[in-house]
Amino acid sequence: MVMAVKELGTLHSVGKGIPRLDADEKVRGLAQYADDLNVPGAWYGFVVRSPVAHGRLRGLKKDPGFDWSQVVVVTPEDIPGNNIVDLMGRDMPFIAHDVIQYLGEPVALVAAASRHLARVAGSHIRADIEELPPLLTLQDMVARYKEDPAQLHELASQTIRKGDTEKALSEADMVVEQEYSAGHQEQLYIEPQGMVAIPESDGTMFIHGSMQCPYYINPELCETLDIPPEKLRVKQSAVGGAFGGKEEFPTLLAGYCALLALKAKRPIKIIYDRNQDILYTTKRHPSWSRYRVGVMKDGTIHAIQTEFLLDGGAYTTLSPVVMYRGILHAAMGYRCENVAIDGHVYRTNTFPNGAFRGFGAPQALWAWESMIDELAEACGMTPHEFRLKNCLHQGDSTPTGGILRDSVGSPTVLEKTLERANFSEKLKQCSHGRRGEKKWYGIGLSFFAHGSGFTGDGEARIKAKVALDLEPGDDGKPVVNVRVSSTEMGQGTCTILPQVAADALSIDIRHTAYPMPDTFKVPDSGPTVASRTAMVVGSTIFSAGKKMKAELEAFVSAELFDGQPVVLEQDRFCGSYGDKEMSFEEAAAQYLSRKGSLRVYDQFKLPEFIKWNQKTFEGDAYPAYAWGCNVAELEVDTLTFEIRVTRVTSYWDIGRLLNPVLAKGQVEGGLVQALGYAMLEKIEIKNGKYDADRMQTYVIPTTLDIPEMDLHFVEFPYEHAQPGAKGVGEIPMDGLAPAIANALVQATGIRMRDLPITPEKLFQMMHEEKTA
Amino acid sequence: MNKVKRTWQINGEEHQTEIPPVRRFLDVLREDLGLKGTKEGCGEGECGACTVIVNGEAVLSCMLPAGQVPENAEVTTVEGLEKTPGGRLLQAAYAEKGAAQCGFCIPGMIVSSYAMLSRDPSADPARIREAHAGNICRCTGYEKIVEAIQSAAEQWPAGTKG
């Protein structure tokens, strides 16, 4: 099944389960996370927040009885530049100055010598707000949408059109209509958000902390601080999990710290406690999907019409792109020549929703893969027959008219998973809510693709830049440092990129290293998001490594081997006359002593045949797709309605496996996060506030909730991005919820269309069914 | 506030402190003694990132008033594991099996593993899962953590407390 990859050379690091290069410091407790940084003279920052979700800010009242001399207070008047957080829209201020759009919106910043004093001072500032009626929930948003969308404030919209969907719906033998929804999900990285801003004597502002994307903070903060990019240094500390939650949010925290640091003229540290972290950071967008799908009697999908709505929260932030990824996956995976998709993001008065592993795709696929089972049933087909009949193959066209040219893991992952799970046989054993049983058994299927890299024109715009530095390491020996802005946050960047660099050069991985990204040292290889690091940044490192290899071979040939042709292979330079050989380490040391350090740059280029129209959403939405298939088996306790997922079987095509141990770790962790999304993790809004605001009330899976996981990879390497990885970060999040809902139908006869699926909701649905 | 004097054996070294009895033991370790390996994930005893061993028992240092840590208590934090054969085994197994991803839960997780195996090195996967149910990890899905602990258990130095 493994396809040949040209000109790859012999790989010695890639494909091996090399232990993480940062494992040692992590298991010894030595990794320095934001709160572990020793920052002499630092004060602690605190954010004073609006107690209401929507209103007009009349002013701030500072308690005259409080001793303000011991603290520093920042209000909008103190901001040197523009009071704007520039993400996809320029509508969000760092500190509110007019309209309050969500509960907890900053109205002032305070710093003091201790956390306690900063908090106490903050409690002596009161915002005077004229309250306005808020729009708080997805349910209210959808109700207004159905009544008249003009009542809503639209933050973004986008359409996809292929063929003539209305005509095709009228031609179809059957039209199935259905609605699905999903609630918030909190990233719940175990390390809360934390940041430090250090004003340096030369006017540089040094931002150091927990983040995914150093090159978001620079340039975004430059406009607010009114400093040039070269005066803003951003460095990543060890990151204790992120999952998208540290994509755009850290810009806010860095802004709070930097604004306070400017005024206080000293370092400022803000470490959120868990309660602040849940209440006042981004979450996965709640979503609502409505489908009208036309099918023919033989089970062919003839027309797909869908609306995909996201609850954006208070400001635009990254929501447009989350919605784009959502609509690009909302009808993906299956052949259909008539597709009409409308995506919208509307404002509600909650904290802006944001990036979370999957980035719109899990919401879209939750609905779409549930719908696929409903379509199969309408056609009188089994879930697997229907999928096998309609799924995309190599050469087919996606909903945006892109052609799946190569590296297509469909239908292989589907076929292999079905076989491995013995799906068709076990489907016959399902309980269908039979009376008199203690436990109901069900099995369910989902099949899906996830676009690798930025959506649409993103990679073409960013043109990821990377560098490799050959320089003396801490021990004086030559080391090849990987210089990228791609961060390590647990997923494995710090190991896979050195693996790729080592193989490109044909050297031992011990001669490579991955220093923590620092914008004063690394070029902008783009943010660490969108399942793009392995494919986009990895392939650019690979070509940079090839360049460095050629440079070093030329040096050894000219200066050490009397001009004879030289090849660097398996850590040794070999002259072609067979009389000279030198180790990489020795030759690289010679290079350093004669010529100094060597930096090689490279830049990512999309293959020329990848075409995309960002206005009409036509063409190749992604350079490549990863493919996955999940089979979930579960048991329902017929007395308590407790649902226990007992087993997940799945196959994945993520292109070439750079590191099988790390890749499997991504899949296991992603599936468990998806299990939480599907069944456990629930936040509702009560009195304008999230009701689950701590780890006691926001419950995520523990060791006791984990199903048996039978996970396998099939490799379809992506030849246009050597060594051929596609991306594994997000796809494990995409398909488990619908597989569970589909299994639950087989177990109970009840179709759940709102996430999370809890025993309470199941009980209610069974009760309604009985009384109906 | 009144302070109390305490002498503790932390990771085999004697530490004398004078602390307010209600100060969280976590803060004493991290801020007063500079042992920053132990982490705070939730501050309310839910996540287990702050787990340390006091006189053989795994405890949540964010919920423990320092005054309740007895005089002459033997304390083990993540920093102390490498001083013991069992601790080194666990560290190697966690690294090799890919049990650490972001690593933030690991100081608490691996200390819980050490406490459990010191008591019962014969633990099977079900027991391991039970003993680590109070240590939340958001990255790994726990599979590789359980594998690592099993692997360390198989090689656990016989007849020792680790």
Side-chain angles (χ1 to χ4, degrees):
Chain A
M1 198 50 61
V2 179
M3 287 164 42
V5 174
K6 292 165 215 151
E7 294 161 21
L8 208 55
T10 316
L11 299 177
H12 290 275
S13 292
V14 166
K16 295 213 173 93
I18 293 171
R20 309 174 55 90
L21 300 189
D22 61 357
D24 185 64
E25 63 182 48
K26 284 180 172 172
V27 300
R28 296 169 70 199
L30 300 177
Q32 297 251 303
Y33 300 86
D35 198 23
D36 306 332
L37 300 172
N38 183 22
V39 188
W43 276 18
Y44 293 88
F46 180 77
V47 183
V48 183
R49 300 179 182 278
S50 163
V52 303
H54 193 202
R56 198 165 289 282
L57 183 63
R58 291 200 198 100
L60 292 178
K61 287 186 181 146
K62 280 165 73 179
D63 178 358
F66 185 77
D67 176 9
W68 294 101
S69 69
Q70 51 186 345
V71 301
V72 163
V73 178
V74 165
T75 57
E77 301 75 53
D78 296 307
I79 298 179
N82 290 322
N83 184 9
I84 290 173
V85 188
D86 184 14
L87 292 160
M88 294 299 290
R90 292 174 58 83
D91 52 346
M92 177 161 68
F94 270 98
I95 307 173
H97 50 84
D98 178 16
V99 179
I100 299 291
Q101 293 287 12
Y102 66 91
L103 189 145
E105 185 158 5
V107 294
L109 309 170
V110 183
S114 76
R115 284 177 217 225
H116 178 70
L117 182 56
R119 202 181 268 259
V120 169
S123 71
H124 288 272
I125 298 176
R126 201 169 58 82
D128 178 17
I129 298 167
E130 176 195 341
E131 281 198 56
L132 296 168
L135 173 62
L136 293 168
T137 64
L138 176 77
Q139 289 71 26
D140 289 349
M141 187 189 102
V142 171
R144 284 191 205 182
Y145 173 80
K146 287 180 173 174
E147 201 179 272
D148 177 11
Q151 301 175 78
L152 294 163
H153 179 103
E154 186 172 81
L155 297 173
S157 71
Q158 180 63 46
T159 60
I160 293 173
R161 295 287 182 266
K162 182 187 188 186
D164 186 341
T165 305
E166 278 309 317
K167 180 166 165 279
L169 282 170
S170 70
E171 295 162 354
D173 291 335
M174 260 179 298
V175 175
V176 182
E177 296 191 27
Q178 213 43 262
E179 295 175 20
Y180 305 89
S181 53
H184 280 105
Q185 189 185 18
E186 161 60 33
Q187 292 88 354
L188 216 83
Y189 32 73
I190 308 299
E191 179 212 20
Q193 303 274 355
M195 198 68 71
V196 181
I198 304 167
E200 298 192 328
S201 54
D202 67 352
T204 300
M205 183 61 75
F206 178 28
I207 305 289
H208 196 181
S210 193
M211 65 182 77
Q212 276 177 249
C213 310
Y215 277 108
Y216 275 7
I217 296 173
N218 183 345
E220 279 160 14
L221 273 192
C222 295
E223 178 180 351
T224 304
L225 302 178
D226 195 25
I227 55 173
E230 62 273 16
K231 288 287 180 193
L232 182 65
R233 178 182 173 197
V234 184
K235 188 177 178 192
Q236 189 211 12
S237 57
V239 169
F243 314 110
K246 292 170 184 172
E247 176 174 353
E248 74 275 33
F249 177 80
T251 303
L252 296 181
L253 204 55
Y256 306 153
C257 288
L259 288 167
L260 283 165
L262 274 185
K263 190 158 179 189
K265 298 188 172 56
R266 56 168 68 240
I268 301 291
K269 189 173 191 178
I270 300 181
I271 308 290
Y272 276 6
D273 63 25
R274 182 58 62 185
N275 180 247
Q276 292 170 320
D277 198 293
I278 295 183
L279 289 177
Y280 309 126
T281 69
T282 55
K283 294 181 181 30
R284 185 183 302 287
H285 293 73
S287 65
W288 177 83
S289 304
R290 178 160 61 187
Y291 281 89
R292 287 169 67 213
V293 179
V295 284
M296 308 311 280
K297 279 183 190 142
D298 69 352
T300 309
I301 303 175
H302 191 51
I304 304 167
Q305 191 264 318
T306 180
E307 298 139 276
F308 179 71
L309 267 59
L310 291 180
D311 165 353
Y315 294 107
T316 308
T317 62
L318 300 179
S319 294
V321 208
V322 178
M323 180 264 289
Y324 298 160
R325 191 174 276 271
I327 60 174
L328 288 166
H329 289 75
M332 184 56 193
Y334 303 93
R335 290 172 175 151
C336 185
E337 288 311 308
N338 303 289
V339 180
I341 307 175
D342 290 84
H344 301 276
V345 186
Y346 294 110
R347 165 180 281 165
T348 60
N349 299 107
T350 62
F351 196 97
N353 292 309
F356 191 160
R357 194 179 207 169
F359 209 72
Q363 293 98 313
L365 286 161
W366 148 241
W368 181 223
E369 276 298 301
S370 295
M371 187 71 193
I372 291 289
D373 255 40
E374 302 212 50
L375 293 171
E377 196 188 343
C379 295
M381 292 170 75
T382 63
H384 54 293
E385 283 165 358
F386 186 82
R387 283 179 176 81
L388 286 167
K389 179 175 179 64
N390 288 290
C391 73
L392 292 170
H393 288 61
Q394 186 162 358
D396 285 341
S397 116
T398 68
T400 57
I403 302 299
L404 298 177
R405 292 180 188 82
D406 42 26
S407 182
V408 184
S410 169
T412 308
V413 296
L414 174 58
E415 291 166 347
K416 284 192 168 288
T417 311
L418 290 171
E419 189 189 336
R420 176 91 191 169
N422 197 13
F423 186 84
S424 58
E425 281 309 307
K426 284 189 172 171
L427 191 65
K428 296 173 192 157
Q429 299 161 17
C430 293
S431 305
H432 302 285
R434 269 192 303 272
R435 280 168 195 280
E437 293 186 12
K438 278 191 179 155
K439 281 201 168 136
W440 287 322
Y441 167 80
I443 187 166
L445 175 62
S446 68
F447 167 68
F448 43 93
H450 193 96
S452 306
F454 273 136
T455 288
D457 66 350
E459 297 301 344
R461 270 189 300 112
I462 285 224
K463 297 188 184 71
K465 292 164 272 299
V466 309
L468 290 175
D469 284 332
L470 173 66
E471 52 198 351
D474 294 338
D475 58 0
K477 290 182 182 167
V479 63
V480 176
N481 278 318
V482 174
R483 299 290 186 184
V484 292
S485 61
S486 308
T487 51
E488 172 59 57
M489 47 194 173
Q491 86 286 38
T493 299
C494 78
T495 307
I496 59 164
L497 294 183
Q499 283 182 275
V500 169
D503 277 359
L505 278 147
S506 195
I507 61 176
D508 193 300
I509 193 169
R510 70 192 162 91
H511 302 305
T512 66
Y514 165 90
M516 302 291 265
D518 173 343
T519 58
F520 273 21
K521 293 190 177 150
V522 301
D524 184 359
S525 30
T528 314
V529 302
S531 303
R532 63 185 292 278
T533 301
M535 180 177 87
V536 172
V537 182
S539 67
T540 316
I541 286 289
F542 194 74
S543 60
K546 292 280 183 200
K547 276 190 195 173
M548 180 174 274
K549 181 171 188 279
E551 173 79 24
L552 293 174
E553 285 168 346
F555 162 79
V556 173
S557 167
E559 303 206 14
L560 304 177
F561 283 13
D562 314 322
Q564 61 176 295
V566 169
V567 177
L568 169 56
E569 184 131 355
Q570 297 191 36
D571 230 32
R572 296 194 75 75
F573 289 90
C574 300
S576 59
Y577 304 159
D579 60 336
K580 287 188 193 294
E581 237 189 79
M582 190 179 278
S583 72
F584 169 77
E585 194 174 310
E586 193 184 342
Q590 289 279 351
Y591 187 100
L592 291 177
S593 73
R594 294 192 195 191
K595 307 187 81 159
S597 59
L598 168 64
R599 170 166 274 211
V600 173
Y601 284 101
D602 215 322
Q603 198 161 12
F604 181 72
K605 284 173 237 49
L606 278 171
E608 277 181 14
F609 51 77
I610 299 289
K611 303 281 186 229
W612 177 249
N613 184 326
Q614 185 69 20
K615 276 215 172 90
T616 61
F617 267 46
E618 286 172 293
D620 301 300
Y622 301 95
Y625 294 84
W627 296 84
C629 182
N630 292 166
V631 165
E633 292 171 72
L634 52 78
E635 288 174 355
V636 181
D637 185 312
T638 57
L639 202 62
T640 63
F641 293 91
E642 187 193 345
I643 307 159
R644 179 151 190 88
V645 178
T646 53
R647 188 181 174 86
V648 175
T649 308
S650 65
Y651 273 81
W652 307 88
D653 159 33
I654 59 165
R656 183 171 293 282
L657 283 176
L658 299 181
N659 184 317
V661 173
L662 294 181
K664 205 162 179 208
Q666 284 296 295
V667 173
E668 288 163 352
L671 282 174
V672 169
Q673 211 164 47
L675 180 76
Y677 182 49
M679 297 175 58
L680 288 175
E681 300 179 29
K682 183 161 155 273
I683 291 193
E684 288 181 348
I685 294 167
K686 299 238 165 78
N687 305 319
K689 218 172 170 180
Y690 296 127
D691 62 349
D693 59 359
R694 18 197 321 216
M695 281 178 83
Q696 214 168 63
T697 45
Y698 189 80
V699 176
I700 69 167
T702 72
T703 50
L704 301 178
D705 300 305
I706 309 306
E708 192 183 326
M709 293 191 269
D710 185 17
L711 313 176
H712 306 272
F713 294 101
V714 279
E715 293 180 81
F716 287 84
Y718 184 55
E719 297 200 29
H720 306 288
Q722 302 284 356
K726 290 192 286 194
V728 64
E730 294 172 290
I731 190 168
M733 188 72 225
D734 283 353
L736 192 55
I740 289 171
N742 293 340
L744 206 55
V745 174
Q746 304 298 333
T748 64
I750 301 285
R751 167 65 62 180
M752 305 294 285
R753 299 191 182 90
D754 178 51
L755 288 185
I757 298 166
T758 59
E760 292 83 0
K761 280 191 205 166
L762 180 61
F763 172 76
Q764 198 184 340
M765 292 282 287
M766 306 266 316
H767 186 70
E768 280 169 16
E769 190 111 319
K770 230 189 221 168
T771 50
Chain B
M1 193 188 293
N2 287 338
K3 291 189 173 181
V4 294
K5 283 189 181 171
R6 283 282 188 276
T7 302
W8 296 315
Q9 304 295 323
I10 302 180
N11 302 327
E13 282 171 32
E14 187 171 298
H15 288 265
Q16 293 186 345
T17 56
E18 198 172 340
I19 35 121
V22 296
R23 186 164 167 77
R24 303 187 307 172
F25 191 48
L26 172 67
D27 297 332
V28 173
L29 290 171
R30 284 182 55 86
E31 292 171 19
D32 303 352
L33 303 174
L35 293 168
K36 295 202 172 185
T38 304
K39 305 299 180 205
E40 175 168 357
C42 70
E44 58 174 13
E46 288 292 325
C47 77
C50 67
T51 306
V52 299
I53 299 172
V54 176
N55 288 336
E57 293 282 340
V59 296
L60 297 165
S61 64
C62 80
M63 301 290 285
L64 180 64
Q68 285 186 17
V69 180
E71 182 70 6
N72 292 322
E74 278 186 32
V75 178
T76 304
T77 69
V78 65
E79 289 94 343
L81 291 188
E82 62 201 67
K83 296 179 180 174
T84 68
R88 287 193 295 273
L89 255 182
L90 272 166
Q91 287 173 330
Y94 266 62
E96 187 204 330
K97 298 287 180 190
Q101 287 189 22
C102 86
F104 200 79
C105 73
I106 294 300
M109 189 74 74
I110 197 166
V111 163
S112 289
S113 308
Y114 183 76
M116 183 198 72
L117 291 184
S118 295
R119 185 166 300 182
D120 178 15
S122 66
D124 61 10
R127 291 276 316 278
I128 292 171
R129 286 180 186 276
E130 190 74 43
H132 291 77
N135 290 91
I136 303 287
C137 168
R138 188 58 151 169
C139 294
T140 62
Y142 306 104
E143 291 290 286
K144 303 210 177 307
I145 291 173
V146 175
E147 270 176 46
I149 300 164
Q150 259 184 285
S151 151
E154 283 159 17
Q155 304 164 61
W156 199 257
T160 74
K161 280 178 69 190

